[in-house]
Amino acid sequence: MDSRGDSDAGVAEAPIPPATVRRLPSYLRALHGLAERGEERTRSAALAELSGVSPAQLRKDLSFLGSFGTRGVGYDVSELAQYITATLGIETEHRVAIFGIGDLGHALANYPGYSRRGFEVVALFDAAPEIIGTEVAGIVVHGRGDVARVLAEERVTLAVIATPASVAQAATDEAVEAGIRGILSFAPVSLQVPEHVDVRTIDVSSELQILAFHLQAGQIPTRVPGATAAGDTDRV
Amino acid sequence: MDSRGDSDAGVAEAPIPPATVRRLPSYLRALHGLAERGEERTRSAALAELSGVSPAQLRKDLSFLGSFGTRGVGYDVSELAQYITATLGIETEHRVAIFGIGDLGHALANYPGYSRRGFEVVALFDAAPEIIGTEVAGIVVHGRGDVARVLAEERVTLAVIATPASVAQAATDEAVEAGIRGILSFAPVSLQVPEHVDVRTIDVSSELQILAFHLQAGQIPTRVPGATAAGDTDRV
């Protein structure tokens, strides 16, 4: 992350730093919001505030994607949104499977914002006989024995693990065996996966513990000047 | 984060870098797992693997907390867990309120792992008349008009926003007005809060977009050698 000081900002061919990749979804979300309000152009100050980063951070991040914006004129909202969409690889929708259809799986299956953001939930799996065969968000829940077949048929590329911690590794193994290379896990355990598979973990208690640390320390985490929403600036 | 190169690793009085704070919950989780299996001592290689980081990263992070471990002997599991717990400020349980008791709020209220990790959910709020007065996870759901009173009575210190995006800012404002300084939000919007309030955002679609970028790029994100679970090493 900080080993690339030798590259020139603004050269689009340079690899995009992971920290920049993590902020691109925020920029895209802000741009979609502007587009919905009918705004065709925006300036870095406005877009930065909506995204919770400083204008300098925004400009630096966008410089990794290429040349955008004109001083005094700003950014074309739809052009920039389209470019970030292409950079993230979500021009074609990714098809998502959810493992574990408890309260959390229900919430994730019913979340309304996916399609606008490049995703479609197309497959649901659970181990409980009383849940298999039921419909959630219009999708039939399949059992564990159907994982490989359904993932292939539905051309799933990303899996979300919403199972209890005790079976998260088993669900992950099934997804990986079926060829899934991107996994988002809500289970508070460290999942073991082969080198070619990418796992991101959302752990609610860990996030609360980080907040607790800041409460105790009586300090707001380090962030760039001008950031509006604290905390998420250094990780989103 | 990288502006503190002048401080000596190993000096406990130095401020703990935010990236280290973000990894402490993983170490604590791994230590609790070891303790449950009856293990009294661990080595950095084993603890690092359970936490999804490299042994060098683990040793460096722990050096910020003070002096731990003996070469060839390793760490005392309960002593290290206790020290991380104190560092995070979760020796006394934090009392948590959840705003928005839909599927996600239900899932969060019923999550079994809080108390072991320093939290207790003690208050639930929703705006829907048919939900107010019902019990979820043994806790009565209160209406919006009761927020200030219930937060004070229950001595709540952290709020979780699980409402629809459209009312997330209003719920946040109510929590902040009642004195809450730490907020964990699941709403895919950038929340505006005063300087003294710390917000962390969990945005499922953003996490999926980051996975999609890595899938497309055919690359695993930069990580330290020896890390086992990819992806979460540079953000947890």
Side-chain angles (χ1 to χ4, degrees):
Chain A
M1 216 189 329
D2 28 12
S3 64
R4 58 187 306 289
D6 53 341
S7 65
D8 292 307
V11 176
E13 294 75 23
I16 303 174
T20 295
V21 172
R22 287 199 293 274
R23 284 185 289 264
L24 293 180
S26 306
Y27 302 151
L28 189 55
R29 193 173 69 194
L31 288 164
H32 285 319
L34 288 168
E36 276 173 14
R37 297 206 298 270
E39 302 194 22
E40 293 176 4
R41 300 198 71 80
T42 185
R43 285 162 188 275
S44 53
L47 184 56
E49 180 164 2
L50 286 169
S51 310
V53 303
S54 71
Q57 180 76 72
L58 173 79
R59 284 190 294 266
K60 189 177 172 197
D61 284 338
L62 295 185
S63 75
F64 289 110
L65 308 192
S67 205
F68 284 103
T70 311
R71 189 170 289 276
V73 179
Y75 302 99
D76 183 290
V77 168
S78 79
E79 185 191 22
L80 183 54
Q82 202 170 0
Y83 201 84
I84 294 177
T85 300
T87 301
L88 286 170
I90 51 176
E91 280 177 307
T92 309
E93 276 197 340
H94 279 271
R95 298 169 68 82
V96 176
I98 300 174
F99 288 72
I101 311 301
D103 284 329
L104 178 61
H106 265 88
L108 293 168
N110 285 301
Y111 175 69
Y114 292 120
S115 69
R116 208 188 51 178
R117 300 184 67 189
F119 304 96
E120 189 182 358
V121 175
V122 295
L124 306 177
F125 300 104
D126 202 282
E130 66 272 25
I131 295 177
I132 296 169
T134 64
E135 270 195 23
V136 174
I139 303 163
V140 175
V141 180
H142 287 278
R144 302 274 292 274
D146 292 329
V147 168
R149 178 181 62 78
V150 173
L151 290 184
E153 279 176 10
E154 294 290 347
R155 305 186 310 286
V156 169
T157 50
L158 295 171
V160 177
I161 307 295
T163 65
S166 56
V167 292
Q169 184 66 54
T172 299
D173 292 345
E174 288 168 356
V176 169
E177 268 170 47
I180 299 296
R181 292 186 296 124
I183 291 174
L184 179 60
S185 172
F186 284 83
V189 291
S190 199
L191 296 172
Q192 309 297 308
V193 294
E195 280 292 314
H196 69 279
V197 177
D198 189 11
V199 174
R200 294 187 68 80
T201 301
I202 292 179
D203 180 350
V204 176
S205 288
S206 290
E207 299 293 329
L208 289 172
Q209 288 177 342
I210 295 166
L211 285 170
F213 172 81
H214 294 140
L215 275 189
Q216 174 205 238
Q219 67 180 47
I220 298 293
T222 311
R223 53 189 158 142
V224 286
T228 50
D232 55 351
T233 53
D234 63 353
R235 61 171 285 277
V236 172
Chain B
M1 221 193 320
D2 29 15
S3 63
R4 56 187 308 287
D6 53 341
S7 66
D8 292 308
V11 177
E13 295 75 24
I16 302 174
T20 294
V21 172
R22 288 199 293 275
R23 284 185 289 264
L24 292 180
S26 306
Y27 302 152
L28 189 54
R29 194 173 69 194
L31 287 164
H32 285 319
L34 288 169
E36 276 173 13
R37 298 207 296 271
E39 302 194 21
E40 293 178 4
R41 300 199 71 80
T42 186
R43 286 162 188 274
S44 53
L47 184 55
E49 179 165 3
L50 285 170
S51 311
V53 303
S54 71
Q57 180 75 73
L58 173 79
R59 284 191 293 265
K60 189 176 173 197
D61 284 338
L62 295 185
S63 75
F64 289 110
L65 307 192
S67 205
F68 284 103
T70 310
R71 189 170 288 276
V73 179
Y75 303 99
D76 182 291
V77 168
S78 79
E79 184 191 22
L80 183 55
Q82 201 171 359
Y83 202 84
I84 294 178
T85 300
T87 301
L88 286 169
I90 51 176
E91 280 178 305
T92 308
E93 276 198 341
H94 279 272
R95 297 168 68 82
V96 176
I98 300 174
F99 289 71
I101 311 300
D103 284 328
L104 178 61
H106 265 88
L108 293 168
N110 284 303
Y111 174 69
Y114 292 121
S115 69
R116 207 187 52 179
R117 300 184 65 188
F119 304 96
E120 190 182 358
V121 175
V122 295
L124 306 177
F125 301 104
D126 201 283
E130 67 272 22
I131 294 177
I132 295 169
T134 64
E135 270 194 23
V136 174
I139 304 163
V140 175
V141 180
H142 287 279
R144 302 274 293 272
D146 293 329
V147 168
R149 179 181 61 77
V150 173
L151 290 184
E153 280 177 9
E154 295 289 348
R155 305 185 312 285
V156 169
T157 52
L158 296 171
V160 177
I161 307 295
T163 65
S166 55
V167 293
Q169 184 66 55
T172 299
D173 292 346
E174 288 168 357
V176 169
E177 268 170 47
I180 299 296
R181 293 187 294 123
I183 291 173
L184 178 60
S185 172
F186 284 83
V189 292
S190 199
L191 296 172
Q192 309 297 307
V193 294
E195 280 291 315
H196 68 281
V197 177
D198 188 10
V199 174
R200 295 186 68 80
T201 301
I202 291 178
D203 181 350
V204 177
S205 288
S206 290
E207 299 293 331
L208 289 172
Q209 288 177 342
I210 295 166
L211 285 170
F213 172 80
H214 295 141
L215 274 190
Q216 172 206 238
Q219 66 179 48
I220 297 295
T222 310
R223 54 188 155 141
V224 286
T228 49
D232 56 351
T233 53
D234 62 353
R235 61 170 284 276
V236 171

